[in-house]
Amino acid sequence: MKLITAIIRPDRLDHVREALIQADITRITVSRVTGHGRQEDIDIYRGQKIAPNLIPKIRLDIAVNDEFVDITVDTIINAASHGEGEIGAGKIFISPLEECIRIRTKERGGKAI
């Protein structure tokens, strides 16, 4: 099992959700977050370094069984991109998921996803 965390632009959320549903991936968690990456560099104003403003982003957390990792990642990449090489399109992180437990039924592992 893997936990896929994607950070995307807010205007791409509907595109990504629709694409994931079409790919039969319907269980996601969505959070509104802020941050910055390369799209804003640290500026110098009157000799002082000024930290860049935090930019609104969307965080998607998706727990999947191993056979769904590639399709989930490919779907997010295709739906979240604005164009080739555009800075600020987002990132995807894939982490091992040690355990998943469905509280209602107490199922564990891949069945609980």
Side-chain angles (χ1 to χ4, degrees), residues 14 16 22 32-33 51 58 91 105:
D14 288 337
V16 172
Q22 292 297 317
R32 297 193 183 281
V33 297
I58 296 293
K91 292 244 183 346
T105 62

Side-chain angles (χ1 to χ4, degrees), residues 37 47 111:
K111 291 181 183 179

Side-chain angles (χ1 to χ4, degrees), residues 4 9 29 34 40-41 44 60 70-71 79 83 93 110:
I4 298 173
R9 291 181 176 181
T29 301
T34 58
E40 286 194 34
D41 292 326
I44 296 182
L60 305 174
D70 290 335
I71 186 130
F93 306 96

Side-chain angles (χ1 to χ4, degrees), residues 7-26:
I7 309 296
I8 62 171
R9 291 181 176 181
D11 64 321
R12 302 309 292 176
L13 176 60
D14 288 337
H15 292 86
V16 172
R17 281 186 56 224
E18 290 171 14
L20 287 168
I21 289 168
Q22 292 297 317
D24 204 24
I25 299 158
T26 57

Side-chain angles (χ1 to χ4, degrees), residues 47-97:
Q48 298 288 330
K49 287 185 179 179
I50 306 296
N53 291 330
L54 297 176
I55 299 169
K57 296 286 185 176
I58 296 293
R59 176 181 170 152
L60 305 174
D61 290 306
I62 308 167
V64 297
N65 290 311
D66 290 333
E67 58 269 15
F68 285 94
V69 171
D70 290 335
I71 186 130
T72 303
V73 169
D74 292 341
T75 300
I76 294 169
I77 290 170
N78 291 331
S81 63
H82 276 274
E84 282 291 316
E86 191 169 331
I87 292 176
K91 292 244 183 346
I92 298 174
F93 306 96
I94 302 171
S95 308
L97 185 59

